[in-house]
Short mmCIF file of all heavy atoms in Angstrom, two decimals:
data_model
loop_
_atom_site.label_atom_id
_atom_site.label_comp_id
_atom_site.label_asym_id
_atom_site.label_seq_id
_atom_site.Cartn_x
_atom_site.Cartn_y
_atom_site.Cartn_z
N VAL A 1 -5.87 -0.80 -0.57
CA VAL A 1 -6.15 -0.30 -1.86
C VAL A 1 -5.38 -1.10 -2.95
O VAL A 1 -5.99 -1.29 -4.05
CB VAL A 1 -5.79 1.20 -2.02
CG1 VAL A 1 -6.20 1.79 -3.39
CG2 VAL A 1 -6.32 2.04 -0.87
N MET A 2 -4.17 -1.46 -2.71
CA MET A 2 -3.40 -2.18 -3.59
C MET A 2 -3.98 -3.49 -4.01
O MET A 2 -4.01 -3.99 -5.03
CB MET A 2 -2.03 -2.53 -3.05
CG MET A 2 -1.06 -1.28 -2.97
SD MET A 2 0.37 -1.47 -2.03
CE MET A 2 1.10 -2.95 -2.67
N GLN A 3 -4.75 -4.21 -3.00
CA GLN A 3 -5.37 -5.49 -3.15
C GLN A 3 -6.75 -5.15 -3.77
O GLN A 3 -7.06 -5.93 -4.65
CB GLN A 3 -5.45 -6.11 -1.80
CG GLN A 3 -6.07 -7.59 -1.82
CD GLN A 3 -5.15 -8.48 -2.62
OE1 GLN A 3 -3.91 -8.27 -2.74
NE2 GLN A 3 -5.79 -9.55 -3.14
N GLU A 4 -7.53 -4.27 -3.26
CA GLU A 4 -8.91 -4.27 -3.66
C GLU A 4 -9.18 -3.32 -4.81
O GLU A 4 -10.12 -3.29 -5.46
CB GLU A 4 -9.80 -3.66 -2.49
CG GLU A 4 -9.65 -4.45 -1.22
CD GLU A 4 -10.16 -5.91 -1.29
OE1 GLU A 4 -10.97 -6.15 -2.12
OE2 GLU A 4 -9.63 -6.76 -0.56
N ARG A 5 -8.15 -2.41 -4.96
CA ARG A 5 -8.10 -1.40 -6.19
C ARG A 5 -9.38 -0.57 -6.13
O ARG A 5 -9.99 -0.15 -7.02
CB ARG A 5 -8.08 -2.10 -7.44
CG ARG A 5 -6.80 -2.85 -7.66
CD ARG A 5 -6.64 -3.52 -9.00
NE ARG A 5 -5.47 -4.39 -9.02
CZ ARG A 5 -4.16 -4.00 -9.36
NH1 ARG A 5 -4.05 -2.70 -9.70
NH2 ARG A 5 -3.27 -4.75 -9.33
N CYS A 6 -9.78 -0.28 -4.76
CA CYS A 6 -10.82 0.68 -4.61
C CYS A 6 -10.73 1.29 -3.10
O CYS A 6 -10.12 0.66 -2.38
CB CYS A 6 -12.21 0.19 -4.90
SG CYS A 6 -12.77 -1.10 -3.72
N VAL A 7 -11.35 2.51 -2.90
CA VAL A 7 -11.37 3.08 -1.66
C VAL A 7 -12.77 3.10 -1.14
O VAL A 7 -13.69 3.55 -1.85
CB VAL A 7 -10.87 4.49 -1.62
CG1 VAL A 7 -10.98 5.11 -0.23
CG2 VAL A 7 -9.30 4.48 -2.05
N THR A 8 -13.07 2.59 0.03
CA THR A 8 -14.40 2.57 0.63
C THR A 8 -14.55 3.60 1.75
O THR A 8 -13.69 3.46 2.68
CB THR A 8 -14.75 1.22 1.10
OG1 THR A 8 -14.66 0.18 0.09
CG2 THR A 8 -16.26 1.19 1.66
N THR A 9 -15.35 4.63 1.65
CA THR A 9 -15.32 5.58 2.63
C THR A 9 -16.77 6.28 2.69
O THR A 9 -17.40 6.40 1.57
CB THR A 9 -14.28 6.83 2.33
OG1 THR A 9 -14.44 7.83 3.36
CG2 THR A 9 -14.51 7.37 1.05
N GLY A 10 -17.29 6.40 3.83
CA GLY A 10 -18.62 6.88 3.97
C GLY A 10 -19.66 6.07 3.33
O GLY A 10 -20.64 6.50 2.83
N GLY A 11 -19.43 4.73 3.29
CA GLY A 11 -20.27 3.76 2.66
C GLY A 11 -20.38 3.79 1.10
O GLY A 11 -21.17 3.10 0.52
N GLU A 12 -19.39 4.46 0.55
CA GLU A 12 -19.30 4.48 -0.97
C GLU A 12 -18.04 3.87 -1.29
O GLU A 12 -16.89 4.05 -0.74
CB GLU A 12 -19.37 5.97 -1.39
CG GLU A 12 -20.72 6.68 -1.12
CD GLU A 12 -20.66 8.06 -1.61
OE1 GLU A 12 -19.60 8.60 -2.01
OE2 GLU A 12 -21.72 8.77 -1.59
N ARG A 13 -18.00 3.24 -2.53
CA ARG A 13 -16.90 2.74 -3.20
C ARG A 13 -16.38 3.57 -4.22
O ARG A 13 -17.20 3.88 -5.13
CB ARG A 13 -17.13 1.19 -3.62
CG ARG A 13 -17.19 0.14 -2.63
CD ARG A 13 -17.73 -1.20 -3.13
NE ARG A 13 -16.88 -1.65 -4.13
CZ ARG A 13 -15.87 -2.49 -3.89
NH1 ARG A 13 -15.56 -2.82 -2.69
NH2 ARG A 13 -15.19 -3.03 -4.83
N HIS A 14 -15.09 3.84 -4.22
CA HIS A 14 -14.54 4.65 -5.27
C HIS A 14 -13.33 3.94 -5.90
O HIS A 14 -12.37 3.69 -5.34
CB HIS A 14 -13.95 5.96 -4.64
CG HIS A 14 -14.99 6.85 -3.93
ND1 HIS A 14 -15.79 7.73 -4.56
CD2 HIS A 14 -15.38 6.92 -2.63
CE1 HIS A 14 -16.56 8.33 -3.63
NE2 HIS A 14 -16.30 7.77 -2.49
N PRO A 15 -13.57 3.33 -7.08
CA PRO A 15 -12.58 2.53 -7.75
C PRO A 15 -11.39 3.40 -8.20
O PRO A 15 -11.59 4.63 -8.66
CB PRO A 15 -13.19 1.98 -8.92
CG PRO A 15 -14.46 2.73 -9.18
CD PRO A 15 -14.88 3.38 -7.87
N VAL A 16 -10.10 2.98 -8.06
CA VAL A 16 -8.95 3.69 -8.54
C VAL A 16 -8.92 3.55 -10.05
O VAL A 16 -9.50 2.54 -10.53
CB VAL A 16 -7.69 3.23 -7.75
CG1 VAL A 16 -7.77 3.61 -6.33
CG2 VAL A 16 -7.48 1.85 -7.99
N PRO A 17 -8.20 4.56 -10.73
CA PRO A 17 -8.15 4.21 -12.20
C PRO A 17 -7.35 3.12 -12.58
O PRO A 17 -6.39 2.59 -11.86
CB PRO A 17 -7.45 5.58 -12.60
CG PRO A 17 -6.78 6.04 -11.46
CD PRO A 17 -7.56 5.59 -10.31
N GLU A 18 -7.69 2.48 -13.70
CA GLU A 18 -6.92 1.34 -14.27
C GLU A 18 -6.02 1.83 -15.49
O GLU A 18 -6.49 2.64 -16.21
CB GLU A 18 -7.92 0.14 -14.74
CG GLU A 18 -8.66 -0.43 -13.69
CD GLU A 18 -7.74 -1.42 -12.85
OE1 GLU A 18 -6.57 -1.62 -13.22
OE2 GLU A 18 -8.13 -1.71 -11.68
N PRO A 19 -4.92 1.36 -15.57
CA PRO A 19 -4.22 0.40 -14.71
C PRO A 19 -3.74 1.19 -13.28
O PRO A 19 -3.48 2.35 -13.43
CB PRO A 19 -2.91 0.00 -15.49
CG PRO A 19 -2.60 1.14 -16.32
CD PRO A 19 -4.02 1.64 -16.72
N PHE A 20 -3.62 0.36 -12.43
CA PHE A 20 -3.12 0.94 -11.03
C PHE A 20 -1.96 0.19 -10.47
O PHE A 20 -2.07 -1.07 -10.36
CB PHE A 20 -4.34 0.80 -10.01
CG PHE A 20 -3.89 1.32 -8.60
CD1 PHE A 20 -3.61 2.63 -8.42
CD2 PHE A 20 -3.83 0.53 -7.58
CE1 PHE A 20 -3.28 3.19 -7.13
CE2 PHE A 20 -3.51 0.88 -6.31
CZ PHE A 20 -3.26 2.17 -6.09
N LEU A 21 -0.81 0.80 -10.38
CA LEU A 21 0.41 0.19 -10.09
C LEU A 21 1.05 1.07 -8.99
O LEU A 21 1.11 2.25 -9.05
CB LEU A 21 1.36 0.08 -11.25
CG LEU A 21 0.70 -0.67 -12.51
CD1 LEU A 21 1.43 -0.36 -13.75
CD2 LEU A 21 0.89 -2.27 -12.22
N VAL A 22 1.50 0.31 -8.06
CA VAL A 22 2.25 0.88 -6.85
C VAL A 22 3.65 0.53 -6.87
O VAL A 22 4.07 -0.65 -7.01
CB VAL A 22 1.61 0.63 -5.49
CG1 VAL A 22 2.46 1.19 -4.32
CG2 VAL A 22 0.17 1.12 -5.42
N LEU A 23 4.58 1.56 -6.85
CA LEU A 23 6.04 1.34 -6.62
C LEU A 23 6.36 1.94 -5.39
O LEU A 23 6.39 3.21 -5.27
CB LEU A 23 6.85 1.88 -7.92
CG LEU A 23 6.96 0.95 -9.09
CD1 LEU A 23 5.71 1.04 -9.90
CD2 LEU A 23 8.23 1.35 -9.90
N ALA A 24 6.72 1.25 -4.48
CA ALA A 24 7.14 1.60 -3.05
C ALA A 24 8.61 1.46 -2.81
O ALA A 24 9.22 0.64 -3.41
CB ALA A 24 6.36 0.98 -2.02
N THR A 25 9.24 2.48 -2.24
CA THR A 25 10.57 2.47 -1.86
C THR A 25 10.82 2.37 -0.49
O THR A 25 9.98 2.73 0.40
CB THR A 25 11.42 3.67 -2.36
OG1 THR A 25 11.09 4.80 -1.45
CG2 THR A 25 11.11 3.91 -3.77
N GLN A 26 11.87 1.69 0.01
CA GLN A 26 12.25 1.56 1.43
C GLN A 26 13.72 1.55 1.60
O GLN A 26 14.41 0.94 0.69
CB GLN A 26 11.59 0.39 2.20
CG GLN A 26 12.12 -0.93 1.89
CD GLN A 26 11.40 -1.97 2.72
OE1 GLN A 26 10.41 -1.71 3.40
NE2 GLN A 26 11.98 -3.18 2.75
N ASN A 27 14.18 2.20 2.62
CA ASN A 27 15.65 2.23 3.02
C ASN A 27 16.01 1.08 3.94
O ASN A 27 15.41 1.10 5.06
CB ASN A 27 15.96 3.55 3.60
CG ASN A 27 17.38 3.72 4.06
OD1 ASN A 27 18.26 2.82 3.83
ND2 ASN A 27 17.71 4.76 4.83
N PRO A 28 16.88 0.12 3.54
CA PRO A 28 17.09 -0.99 4.52
C PRO A 28 18.04 -0.64 5.64
O PRO A 28 18.15 -1.42 6.58
CB PRO A 28 17.79 -2.00 3.51
CG PRO A 28 18.57 -1.12 2.52
CD PRO A 28 17.63 0.11 2.38
N MET A 29 18.67 0.49 5.61
CA MET A 29 19.75 0.74 6.58
C MET A 29 19.10 1.53 7.81
O MET A 29 19.46 1.14 8.93
CB MET A 29 20.79 1.61 5.96
CG MET A 29 21.66 0.88 4.91
SD MET A 29 22.85 1.89 4.17
CE MET A 29 23.89 2.28 5.46
N GLU A 30 18.35 2.42 7.54
CA GLU A 30 17.86 3.37 8.70
C GLU A 30 16.84 2.69 9.37
O GLU A 30 15.70 2.53 8.86
CB GLU A 30 17.40 4.77 8.04
CG GLU A 30 18.33 5.89 8.57
CD GLU A 30 17.86 7.16 7.90
OE1 GLU A 30 16.90 7.78 8.34
OE2 GLU A 30 18.53 7.58 6.94
N MET A 31 16.92 2.39 10.68
CA MET A 31 16.00 1.81 11.44
C MET A 31 15.26 2.67 12.34
O MET A 31 14.05 2.39 12.94
CB MET A 31 16.48 0.63 12.33
CG MET A 31 16.91 -0.63 11.39
SD MET A 31 15.44 -1.39 10.54
CE MET A 31 15.52 -0.83 8.91
N GLU A 32 15.75 3.82 12.64
CA GLU A 32 15.20 4.75 13.64
C GLU A 32 13.95 5.44 13.04
O GLU A 32 13.98 5.97 11.87
CB GLU A 32 16.19 5.84 14.12
CG GLU A 32 15.76 6.59 15.24
CD GLU A 32 16.90 7.59 15.66
OE1 GLU A 32 18.06 7.37 15.35
OE2 GLU A 32 16.65 8.60 16.38
N GLY A 33 12.89 5.43 13.76
CA GLY A 33 11.63 5.99 13.17
C GLY A 33 11.02 5.25 12.11
O GLY A 33 10.20 5.87 11.30
N THR A 34 11.29 3.97 11.96
CA THR A 34 10.54 3.16 10.85
C THR A 34 9.73 2.05 11.42
O THR A 34 9.88 1.64 12.59
CB THR A 34 11.68 2.58 9.92
OG1 THR A 34 12.47 1.59 10.65
CG2 THR A 34 12.63 3.65 9.29
N TYR A 35 8.75 1.67 10.60
CA TYR A 35 7.93 0.61 10.91
C TYR A 35 8.06 -0.48 9.85
O TYR A 35 7.37 -0.29 8.80
CB TYR A 35 6.41 1.08 10.98
CG TYR A 35 6.21 2.25 11.98
CD1 TYR A 35 6.43 3.64 11.60
CD2 TYR A 35 5.91 2.07 13.36
CE1 TYR A 35 6.40 4.59 12.48
CE2 TYR A 35 5.69 3.18 14.17
CZ TYR A 35 6.00 4.45 13.75
OH TYR A 35 5.85 5.48 14.68
N PRO A 36 8.86 -1.54 10.01
CA PRO A 36 8.99 -2.55 8.95
C PRO A 36 7.66 -3.14 8.54
O PRO A 36 6.76 -3.35 9.33
CB PRO A 36 9.82 -3.55 9.59
CG PRO A 36 10.54 -2.78 10.69
CD PRO A 36 9.61 -1.75 11.17
N LEU A 37 7.44 -3.36 7.24
CA LEU A 37 6.25 -3.86 6.77
C LEU A 37 6.08 -5.37 7.28
O LEU A 37 6.88 -6.14 7.23
CB LEU A 37 6.20 -4.02 5.31
CG LEU A 37 5.97 -2.60 4.57
CD1 LEU A 37 6.28 -2.86 3.04
CD2 LEU A 37 4.60 -2.16 4.72
N PRO A 38 4.90 -5.70 7.96
CA PRO A 38 4.51 -7.11 8.27
C PRO A 38 4.61 -8.02 7.07
O PRO A 38 4.37 -7.56 5.96
CB PRO A 38 3.15 -6.98 8.87
CG PRO A 38 2.91 -5.61 9.15
CD PRO A 38 3.68 -4.81 8.11
N GLU A 39 4.82 -9.37 7.42
CA GLU A 39 4.93 -10.29 6.33
C GLU A 39 3.81 -10.28 5.42
O GLU A 39 3.89 -10.37 4.11
CB GLU A 39 5.21 -11.73 6.97
CG GLU A 39 6.42 -11.93 7.68
CD GLU A 39 6.56 -11.14 9.12
OE1 GLU A 39 5.47 -10.87 9.60
OE2 GLU A 39 7.58 -11.04 9.59
N ALA A 40 2.54 -10.19 5.99
CA ALA A 40 1.22 -10.36 5.19
C ALA A 40 1.21 -9.10 4.21
O ALA A 40 0.61 -9.27 3.09
CB ALA A 40 0.15 -10.37 6.07
N GLN A 41 1.78 -7.97 4.63
CA GLN A 41 1.70 -6.79 3.72
C GLN A 41 2.82 -6.83 2.73
O GLN A 41 2.63 -6.39 1.62
CB GLN A 41 1.71 -5.64 4.61
CG GLN A 41 0.47 -5.42 5.52
CD GLN A 41 0.50 -4.22 6.33
OE1 GLN A 41 1.33 -3.34 6.24
NE2 GLN A 41 -0.73 -3.96 6.96
N LEU A 42 3.93 -7.38 3.08
CA LEU A 42 4.97 -7.51 2.03
C LEU A 42 4.58 -8.40 0.91
O LEU A 42 4.84 -8.29 -0.21
CB LEU A 42 6.26 -8.20 2.62
CG LEU A 42 7.23 -7.24 3.44
CD1 LEU A 42 8.26 -8.20 4.19
CD2 LEU A 42 8.03 -6.35 2.48
N ASP A 43 3.76 -9.38 1.32
CA ASP A 43 3.17 -10.41 0.33
C ASP A 43 2.28 -9.71 -0.84
O ASP A 43 2.14 -10.38 -1.85
CB ASP A 43 2.34 -11.43 1.09
CG ASP A 43 2.32 -12.72 0.27
OD1 ASP A 43 3.24 -13.03 -0.52
OD2 ASP A 43 1.45 -13.62 0.53
#
């Protein structure tokens, strides 16, 4: 969604409102029960 700025479901495209900005947080210390972001997604 961050890249395409729309959601495709059931064969329909639903654009997200503009402007669309994502602020994500992550804790660098706790590793238990986490799934580090792959390089392509960090990008």
Side-chain angles (χ1 to χ4, degrees):
V1 184
M2 288 166 56
Q3 183 68 24
E4 306 299 333
R5 297 184 189 272
C6 68
V7 174
T8 304
T9 178
E12 296 177 353
R13 284 170 61 88
H14 302 273
V16 293
E18 292 289 345
F20 177 65
L21 302 158
V22 173
L23 275 78
T25 71
Q26 70 174 14
N27 174 7
M29 294 174 66
E30 243 174 82
M31 288 294 105
E32 193 175 335
T34 62
Y35 304 85
L37 284 170
E39 292 77 13
Q41 296 184 351
L42 275 172
D43 206 22

